[in-house]
Amino acid sequence: MLQGFFGEAGIAGNSIKHQPKFSVLAPTQQKITMQMPQGIVSVVIASDISPKNDIKAFGIGYLSNREVIVRTLAALQYTYSETATDFDLLHQLYFLIGRDAFRLAEGHFCCVLIYDTEVVLATGKTPGPKLYYYQGEHGQLLFASEIGAFPSEYLALVPHDSNFEQHAHCDPTFTPFVHVRSVCPGELVLQTLNPLSAPQRISYYSPLRTIQYSAGDEHTASEHLRTILQDAVNAIPGKHAICLVSGGLDSSIIGYLAKQHFESVRYLSIGTAQRNEFEPARLFVESIQGNYQQIEFSEQDFLVNLAEVIALVEHSYSTYLEYLVPVHIAHKHLPQDADVILSGYGSDILFAGFAKPHNSTHDIASLIRTEYQSTYWANEASQTLGFAHGLHVAYPYFDSRVVDLAFSFSPHLCHIKKIEKFILRQAFSNDIDERVVWRKKVGVHEGTGCEDFFSAYLTSSSEQINSLELRQRKDVFCHRILEEIMILGITPQNINFNKIRSSIL
């Protein structure tokens, strides 16, 4: 499986001299240089298998509807090799029908397609594997699966700005690094080889487009949601799965559906001895007669794991980082013999999990839109989070069919009786123990004590500080860590956290 890549496309030149650094555990790296009629393309591939020497299509992730692509190519009278990868098929389909090839493609992926006169960078419809690009001083296009793979001389950190989310909402390609841009979900970036011009962004999909709300009552919506979510889980490749569960709604639904599809499923919960959700998690797993295990860690492990997460997702936005730290710790302890790790991430975003009882329907609609937009830069579904530990992590809630359905619901369905994620709870109320289905939401960063530890660490014993000031302080702390890792080259294990803390307090 390909796990990382760095490449350069230009008019002329030699193969890449830069030795890219990847966070993933791929055992081999291979350099490939291709002389095209209109230019040259060089790539470095990090993979656990040796790629072909002439590679015109490659990517990270998978297509969940490969058979649809195959049938479409057959209808267009194109015969393909049985050994063709998902991205070989996309390469041919894009050649035949252009950007509509990606409208047909389902799954979680990013990819690079190389043609005689152009290079195409693309991501799947919804948040998943990341892809970044940078236009060099001579017009050449540099692209990578991780920002850290770019040459260090190309990386300059944007100064900390408390209004970063405003910038990101205005420009969803925004990253914390000057000139480095992200390929957004549902977009492709087109670079012609001769003449070299500014990369062209092209949108082929967005759930935020103007849509018509689906007709139907609460019962109909619930049934449709159950069916689509099961389809999303069924589309994930593999036979043996691990589910991280908290005993809350989101992970329990995925855990329940996984048991219907995979040959074997193991269920694990994570927490500290003082703060955990072991009992709710055990209750759920026993209710479906599953195999349950629990993982304990110390709150003192938080800081170095926070730095490791910052290195993996390559930003400093603490709101999202706090959630990822316990997930990252869990990944460290998971066995590598499963085909896939199933995540419940995405449900809160699509079904207003952060809603408050006083919120109006207008508030709910706005909340869902803005939370979904935040996924473009939060990187919570980045491939590096799993690949750094040799794991493949899948996100069923971010199957585009689930996303489309969620955005077709009237927002009021997510907040009936002032209960957050009501329609999702209702959809599985006959399948999952009611103590799980109607349990009040608790974030994994809250249930494991990570948020409280971080807050206490950045607050002196005598001071009074409001939540906004504390959040800004956390962001500054994380920004300093990002600078030390990405610019100064300090490893997470060698960062002096207390020194950074002292400079902030």
Side-chain angles (χ1 to χ4, degrees):
M1 178 184 294
L2 192 150
Q3 298 182 14
F5 57 82
F6 166 78
E8 182 176 343
I11 294 176
N14 300 315
S15 63
I16 296 171
K17 295 182 175 63
H18 166 63
Q19 184 65 42
K21 297 178 181 178
F22 298 104
S23 65
V24 299
L25 290 180
T28 64
Q29 288 190 24
Q30 182 173 342
K31 293 184 180 181
I32 303 169
T33 299
M34 291 164 283
Q35 183 68 54
M36 314 302 291
Q38 298 296 325
I40 190 168
V41 180
S42 296
V43 296
V44 176
I45 300 293
S47 178
D48 55 6
I49 58 173
S50 297
K52 298 175 292 185
N53 288 326
D54 184 20
I55 181 169
K56 300 294 179 62
F58 55 90
I60 295 172
Y62 63 94
L63 296 180
S64 60
N65 66 335
R66 178 186 171 98
E67 69 285 352
V68 173
I69 306 299
V70 168
R71 287 200 301 268
T72 303
L73 288 171
L76 295 169
Q77 299 183 333
Y78 170 77
T79 57
Y80 69 97
S81 167
E82 291 293 334
T83 61
T85 68
D86 289 349
F87 304 111
D88 291 333
L89 299 179
L90 267 181
H91 184 275
Q92 185 60 36
L93 191 59
Y94 181 86
F95 176 78
L96 295 170
I97 67 175
R99 73 186 70 171
D100 284 344
F102 293 101
R103 292 181 58 214
L104 286 174
E106 302 289 347
H108 294 278
F109 63 88
C110 68
C111 66
V112 179
L113 309 180
I114 302 169
Y115 299 92
D116 288 350
T117 60
E118 64 188 30
V119 174
V120 178
L121 312 180
T123 56
K125 295 175 181 176
T126 56
K130 298 295 296 183
L131 178 53
Y132 302 95
Y133 63 99
Y134 182 113
Q135 188 165 33
E137 58 183 340
H138 302 297
Q140 75 274 29
L141 180 71
L142 289 83
F143 52 87
S145 56
E146 302 177 38
I147 296 175
F150 287 112
S152 58
E153 61 266 27
Y154 287 100
L155 297 183
L157 192 60
V158 175
H160 172 71
D161 184 349
S162 59
N163 296 317
F164 77 88
E165 290 211 38
Q166 294 180 12
H167 303 315
H169 277 291
C170 294
D171 178 9
T173 70
F174 175 84
T175 77
F177 296 86
V178 180
H179 304 310
V180 176
R181 291 290 175 261
S182 171
V183 182
C184 297
E187 287 193 356
L188 57 91
V189 171
L190 177 64
Q191 173 72 65
T192 58
L193 292 177
N194 192 8
L196 288 172
S197 57
Q200 180 186 3
R201 285 177 59 199
I202 300 172
S203 175
Y204 69 88
Y205 166 89
S206 172
L208 303 176
R209 66 198 184 278
T210 301
I211 59 174
Q212 180 179 358
Y213 285 137
S214 59
D217 56 22
E218 179 186 319
H219 174 75
T220 304
S222 296
E223 288 300 307
H224 197 181
L225 181 54
R226 287 178 77 260
T227 301
I228 293 296
L229 266 173
Q230 183 70 74
D231 289 345
V233 171
N234 292 352
I236 296 170
K239 297 180 179 180
H240 308 286
I242 290 175
C243 288
L244 290 173
V245 293
S246 64
L249 179 72
D250 310 341
S251 59
S252 296
I253 288 175
I254 300 305
Y256 167 79
L257 295 174
K259 200 167 188 293
Q260 319 303 312
H261 170 63
F262 290 94
E263 289 184 12
S264 70
V265 185
R266 284 167 284 173
Y267 300 88
L268 290 94
S269 183
I270 184 167
T272 66
Q274 297 76 30
R275 297 281 297 275
N276 59 70
E277 298 178 273
F278 293 152
E279 284 310 308
R282 185 190 302 277
L283 184 152
F284 161 68
V285 176
E286 289 180 349
S287 73
I288 61 169
Q289 299 179 323
N291 179 355
Y292 172 76
Q293 296 173 263
Q294 59 192 44
I295 300 169
E296 281 192 20
F297 69 96
S298 168
E299 289 182 351
Q300 302 305 314
D301 297 335
F302 176 83
L303 291 174
V304 69
N305 281 282
L306 171 66
E308 289 173 353
V309 168
I310 290 172
L312 291 174
V313 299
E314 301 175 314
H315 70 66
S316 58
Y317 313 140
S318 64
T319 299
Y320 312 102
L321 296 170
E322 284 179 327
Y323 162 82
L324 290 173
V325 170
V327 175
H328 173 69
I329 294 171
H331 287 170
K332 285 183 172 183
H333 292 84
L334 294 182
Q336 296 184 6
D337 57 350
D339 298 317
V340 64
I341 312 302
L342 298 178
S343 170
Y345 172 64
S347 167
D348 286 326
I349 291 164
L350 297 174
F351 301 102
F354 304 110
K356 306 300 182 185
H358 65 270
N359 286 150
S360 66
T361 302
H362 183 278
D363 294 334
I364 300 301
S366 177
L367 176 67
I368 293 172
R369 286 195 305 272
T370 56
E371 286 294 329
Y372 187 79
Q373 287 175 309
S374 76
T375 64
Y376 288 12
W377 64 83
N379 297 359
E380 291 169 293
S382 170
Q383 72 278 10
T384 56
L385 293 166
F387 283 163
H389 309 289
L391 305 171
H392 168 221
V393 184
Y395 302 87
Y397 287 110
F398 276 157
D399 185 293
S400 65
R401 294 166 294 183
V402 178
V403 173
D404 276 337
L405 181 63
F407 276 94
S408 75
F409 286 159
S410 171
H412 85 276
L413 290 172
C414 297
H415 207 224
I416 293 175
K417 300 178 183 178
K418 302 298 181 181
I419 300 174
E420 81 281 354
K421 296 185 288 193
F422 181 88
I423 191 62
L424 187 62
R425 297 177 188 275
Q426 186 65 31
F428 289 89
S429 59
N430 293 326
D431 303 297
I432 299 174
D433 191 300
E434 64 177 8
R435 291 170 293 180
V436 175
V437 169
W438 300 105
R439 182 186 174 213
K440 184 178 179 181
K441 172 183 168 47
V442 178
V444 65
H445 57 302
E446 300 166 323
T448 56
C450 287
E451 181 181 37
D452 288 346
F453 175 86
F454 196 19
S455 299
Y457 181 73
L458 291 181
T459 308
S460 61
S461 58
S462 59
E463 73 175 325
Q464 297 292 325
I465 184 171
N466 63 43
S467 59
L468 178 59
E469 292 172 329
L470 180 58
R471 177 57 61 198
Q472 291 175 350
R473 185 175 291 181
K474 290 179 177 180
D475 285 343
V476 172
F477 183 81
C478 293
H479 191 271
R480 299 277 180 85
I481 294 175
L482 182 66
E483 181 180 21
E484 295 208 358
I485 293 171
M486 300 292 289
I487 306 301
L488 302 180
I490 301 173
T491 65
Q493 292 75 21
N494 291 321
I495 291 174
N496 188 333
F497 299 107
N498 289 335
K499 182 179 179 179
I500 298 175
R501 176 182 181 271
S502 297
S503 70
I504 294 173
L505 294 184

